[in-house]
Amino acid sequence: MSQFPDSTLAEQNLQMSKKSVLELRNVNIFYSDNQAVNDVSFNIRRNKITAIIGPSGCGKSTLLRSLNRMNDFVDGARVEGELIFSNENLYGKEVDPVEVRRRIGMVFQKPNPFPKSIYNNISWGPLINGYNGSTDELVERSLKQAALWEEVKDRLHESALNLSGGQQQRLCIARALAMEPEVLLMDEPCSALDPISTARIEDLLFELKSSYTIVIVTHNMQQAARISDYTAFMEMGDLIEFNVTKKIFTRPAMKRTEEYVTGRFG
Amino acid sequence: MPLTTEQESRHLEKRHRKARFFAIFCAAITWSSVLLLAVLLYQVSIEGFRWLDWQFISSFPSRFPERAGIKSALVGTIWLISLVALISIPVGVSTALYLEEFAGKGKISKIIEVNVANLAGVPSIVYGILGLAIFVRFFALERSLISGALTMSLLILPVIIIASREAIKTVPQGIRNAAYSLGATKWQTTWAHVLPASFPGIMTGVILALSRSIGETAPLIMIGAMTFVAFLPEGPMDSFTAMPIQIYNWVSRPQEEFHELAAAGIIVLLAVLLAMNATAIFIRNRTERRMK
Ligand SMILES: Nc1ncnc2c1ncn2[C@@H]1O[C@H](COP(=O)(O)OP(=O)(O)OP(=O)(O)O)[C@@H](O)[C@H]1O
Ligand SMILES: [Mg+2]
């Protein structure tokens, strides 16, 4: 504590870290020799939606994937710095990445249901992780959470590939929710969807907020403004600004942020 | 205004003509190979049909054409193919899975990849020599079914490995990512998703490979499958004969009757091949449908 000259600031900081689930401290991410994320630090608060915005190629997906160690599967990807989750560095030696992914779920940009039944799509994750409750209940609960139950309750044992794109994406959300993750990471989950499906998923995120922490990458400014509580603006691998969403969209501290969110982006 | 100008429509007409020509060209090639096969079958049927009866299928070979049959060769081939399938499918598919999913993309995998591809082109007689040296002599497995099956497995492994790898490569990365993001281990992901999704493609490779091995003669002659067997093998350590060897033996005799017997043998061989492929394709299509 002594390094904080101002005690109220120290207190604030402590308060903040209690409320944050994930703390990024000087995170650098490389692909072989190219650096894709430069020295990014911010906290992800519990039961809030954090949006990551920024121009294409600025490192949003890269940063998001580092939060549940999905970068492990990318050839040449390397993460430096600290990502603190439950008092542990996600990249610490004793940490099992499988356990990390079990607790920090992910929904991808392109819907990626397993080529199996709707039911099995949902139940597989929990089952391999030792779930021994009723799978029927689990499937129903997850599908209801993802606002898909009414549409599919009569064909749970049909292939998930017969669903529409929007339904598939909601299925993927339901599948992630079935694991009851502490954090849900979403990489442009609505980019392949029509406005109606998008609106449904946004509503859904709002409801999920009470029990989950959500980090969402989006290209859609209105979406970020509508649904998120905090926003991180990135550019060319740098975190330009991180703040409460309202601030970012009304009184950003940086000129670049303002230019980007108002669409006057060069 | 017309939908297309005259010049455009002339151009379009030309493109359609090209497409039609190409379709006819491909159809002609397809049908000519089918025709060739039909002629071959016809020829063989004419020659061998006379001999094709239950007596032929249920008799051991004999010096007298009217008493000779294909029983021991048929049973030997069924034994051989079953053993080859049991050995080569697990080994080949595991190798492919290892190379694709676990080995990484380093230099060593590259070297293995090139080697496997080259092995697929090695003449079968070379595998026969290898089998003779390793299985028959070194491991002292004698001139047995298991020696034959191991040799034949070596021969078709490259085909199974290459086909399986291609099938595994077509599994979308999204499926793996989905599994990993649910806290699955690499093995769980591979077993529950990658393998089932690539199963139809793997089956296609297996069908091709086993079909090849059922007709191979050279390596079996090399490791010393017998040509005159008047008993049935009862286990993998027994000596044996196989249909292509029996057919070869009949063809090389001077009497016309034996040539006809060979034709009848070919018909039986083709029937076994067809039955085997039909079963495999049936299994493949069923799993394919289940996945859709
Ligand atoms: N697998 C990879 N190997 C090498 N470089 C990569 C890889 N993936 C991404 N990169 C590079 O890292 C940088 C950031 O990419 P990233 O996918 O994180 O961008 P993004 O912000 O998500 O973009 P978009 O909005 O288009 O999805 C880019 O320069 C990209 O070329
Ligand atoms: Mg991206």
Side-chain angles (χ1 to χ4, degrees), chain A residues 68 70 73 75 98 101-102 104-106 108 112-116 121 124-125 128-129 159-162 175-176 179, chain B residues 104-105 172-186 188-189 191-193 196-197 289-292:
Chain A
N68 72 339
M70 285 300 287
F73 302 108
D75 284 327
V98 171
R101 291 183 212 111
R102 192 178 68 71
I104 305 180
M106 191 162 204
F108 299 82
N112 54 355
F114 297 129
K116 296 189 170 0
N121 258 277
W124 188 73
I128 59 160
N129 281 288
S159 168
L161 301 183
N162 295 337
R175 181 175 67 186
M179 296 293 300
Chain B
K105 305 272 172 279
Q173 189 58 32
I175 291 185
R176 296 186 183 87
N177 285 343
Y180 290 136
S181 74
L182 295 169
T185 61
K186 202 153 200 171
Q188 286 168 325
T189 305
W191 180 250
H193 298 292
R289 215 168 325 121
R290 226 183 31 224
M291 305 229 313
K292 287 241 174 67

Side-chain angles (χ1 to χ4, degrees), chain A residues 231-234 238-243 247-248 251-258:
Chain A
T231 298
F233 171 58
M234 293 180 70
D238 295 316
L239 177 66
I240 305 292
E241 192 169 352
F242 174 77
N243 213 329
K247 265 254 177 71
I248 293 272
R251 280 178 292 121
M254 308 295 288
K255 191 146 182 1
R256 297 300 293 152
T257 316
E258 186 179 350

Side-chain angles (χ1 to χ4, degrees), chain A residues 206-225:
Chain A
F206 243 92
E207 283 166 32
L208 294 176
K209 215 163 74 166
S210 54
S211 29
Y212 297 93
T213 304
I214 296 168
V215 184
I216 181 169
V217 168
T218 176
H219 271 136
N220 183 331
M221 291 306 120
Q222 287 87 18
Q223 183 171 62

